Amino acid sequence: MSRQQDPKGVILTGYISNIEVLSPASGVNSAEEIESSSLSRRTGHYSVQNRAKNAPGKPPYHRCNSQDSLDELAMDDYWTEVENITLSAEGDAEPQEEVQLKVPDEGEQEEAWLTEAGLATLFDESASDPEDMMGLLSTLTRTQAAAVEKRVEKLQQTLRKRNKQHQVPDVRDIFKLPGTPESKEDEAKSPERSENRKKDITTDGQAMGLGNRAGPAEQSVSEPETDINLEVSFSDQALSYKEGSKGSSEALTDADDKLPNFKLSRDKTGLTKVGDLSPQDMKKVHRLVLIEMTALFDTAGIDLKTHKAVKLKVKESGLFGVPLAALLEQDQRRQPGTRVPIILQRLISHIEDEGLDTEGLLRIPGAAIRVKAVCVELEGKFYEGLFPWESLKQHDAASLLKLFIRELPHPLLTVEYLSAFIAVLKLPTKKQQLQALNLLVLLLPESSRDTLKALMEFFQRVIDHKEQNKMTLNNVAVVMAPNIFMFKGFRNKISEQQEFSLATETANIVRLLIRYQNLLWTIPKFIMNQVRKQNTENQKKMSKDRAMMKLLKKMAYEREKHEKPLSEVDSSSQGFIRVQAPQFSKVSMAVQLTEELQASDVLSRFLSQDSMLSVCVCSSSVSVKREDLCLYEIGGNIQERCLDEETYMKDLLELNPSAEWFIKCIQR
């Protein structure tokens, strides 16, 4: 393993073995120490005192910034939980195959990254991608462009080493501004142009018509520390911080209420949450978020190494030990639209039905033998509806919930991003750590993201009863961290030193996920603006081949102009928007635009005074509640977006003047 430490103390690590996959900054123990630690783990000794070799009563690890919020005493429950996990795994009749991690070969990681970012054409001209690569590149910020350049340059170097007859475009050509006549030879004669190119990229981004794209030097750094700015690229903000903005040092204490009270800066065009967008636009979001997340870590000098899980033989049906995607597919055949495994929902419901005031909830384990027996019984009776839930003890149900998470063939946070979640704590400020977590949550597969959200919401409900159950934010985070991060074979891949370091790091990550869950499932506005810009660019290119479509549209417009009442013609130009609701008996209505008109006002005006409304579904009337309805923005520079009720309609219309407005049932 290679290590390098920069002057500011950030440790850069090159991964060359599976042992170091989850703790890139940890020390390396000798073979004798690793063997000794493996023996101690197998015998089930996990108390902090027993593990220390050199200093009695103190674990052999060094404190870092990530440990400011959880001291050694607070971690006792962590090691108790690890021991419980180990004991519960003993005697398994059919132990699951361990997760094997594949470290990418040289160049593979860059190819995989460019492919996932929708930029495969940069190294493979035969790659067929329906998305317009140049449209994507044209939206990138200064730091995002630098992240792409870095990956392309690395890939170029690798391909040269392989002596491949494969022409990878020069990064200078990829990001050259339109109308620039210089050739690569000309540029090579001008060393100063290399430095100026970064400024050009920033200037080009500002000229694209999106107001949030200004370079970091031009952004105000005076906003309160608790504000999360969603309008400026996180990596640009981080670069501004690095280049000289003075931020207060943020030391967290053990008290739950001492965590910064981060809040999102309100935007008049509305916040966008996961699930508000169409699949087509979410695909664009994923690509942009991947580039942004990489740029953010690049800015801090943190070299992320992704890993791929080697394919395992896994169960294809059942409840425990089944891949999330397969389990959800199985559940959706029974209950269409299911987004969180039914067994997990049922376990959470049962725990809550028994009451969340139970002291030690989630911390006190159920009886191991009884839990195993219940697990087997659930596998056989759950889907048939024959399982006797009334006989299931609450602590046993909590143990089953944790078992479900641990038994997933691959980690809930995925093999690809698990090390990135842990690396979040290397970022210099809590705000940057929160921004990185936001991006990583958005990168998770839909099944993992939805399941994680259900768990975080449940944990918060447990914490809400902390006065009775004695389970504070710290307590819940410490107990749940090993269940979320310890995948099959995890403890065989790390040394004892690394395990101590990871204990506090993973507990702090879970702590942040629970505390800030209301922020982490939000799509930043700067990403949304880039999606809108990309859609606009794609539409411009498509319009070149639409001469006939324009003619047909004009004919249709003239026909509608004569058919519609005068009040319905060009209503937006007259200070109105027309809201359509084809699912309802009241098909459409005109709403007058005012400065203060919000999406919630539009819904209120549309609906009757009754709390229930009938909607036509398959030729029959079904009653729906007010909270099940959403005003949608459709068309223009967005595919489809469910609006935040605090969206100001006039501001949004200025951002997307070609949009149409529909009231529909929310797709849950």
Side-chain angles (χ1 to χ4, degrees), residues 584 603 607 613 624-630 664-666:
F584 302 90
L603 285 170
L607 301 175
L613 189 73
V624 294
K625 295 181 180 178
R626 162 71 171 76
E627 55 267 28
D628 293 329
L629 300 177
C630 181
K664 300 194 299 182
C665 293
I666 299 173

Side-chain angles (χ1 to χ4, degrees), residues 481-500:
N483 291 283
I484 292 174
F485 282 90
M486 284 177 56
F487 56 83
K488 288 289 182 180
F490 163 85
R491 308 191 72 234
N492 297 330
K493 293 177 170 61
I494 59 173
S495 67
E496 183 175 318
Q497 179 84 1
Q498 292 169 321
E499 187 171 8
F500 272 112

Side-chain angles (χ1 to χ4, degrees), residues 313 340 410 447 541 571 612:
K313 291 182 179 178
V340 176
H410 296 126
S447 57
K541 298 203 173 187
S571 58
M612 305 294 289

Side-chain angles (χ1 to χ4, degrees), residues 349-395:
S349 296
H350 182 77
I351 294 170
E352 293 186 324
D353 290 344
E354 295 291 306
L356 296 180
D357 291 344
T358 307
E359 186 169 340
L361 186 59
L362 294 178
R363 178 176 56 81
I364 298 175
I369 295 177
R370 192 167 59 226
V371 168
K372 287 182 181 179
V374 172
C375 182
V376 172
E377 190 175 4
L378 275 169
E379 290 280 10
K381 297 181 178 179
F382 176 69
Y383 284 123
E384 283 69 28
L386 301 176
F387 180 78
W389 288 98
E390 66 280 358
S391 65
L392 179 61
K393 298 181 181 299
Q394 190 179 39
H395 288 308

Side-chain angles (χ1 to χ4, degrees), residues 196-215:
N196 290 337
R197 181 169 287 103
K198 290 183 179 179
K199 298 178 183 177
D200 291 339
I201 293 170
T202 307
T203 304
D204 188 38
Q206 295 166 358
M208 291 170 192
L210 297 180
N212 69 324
R213 198 74 52 68

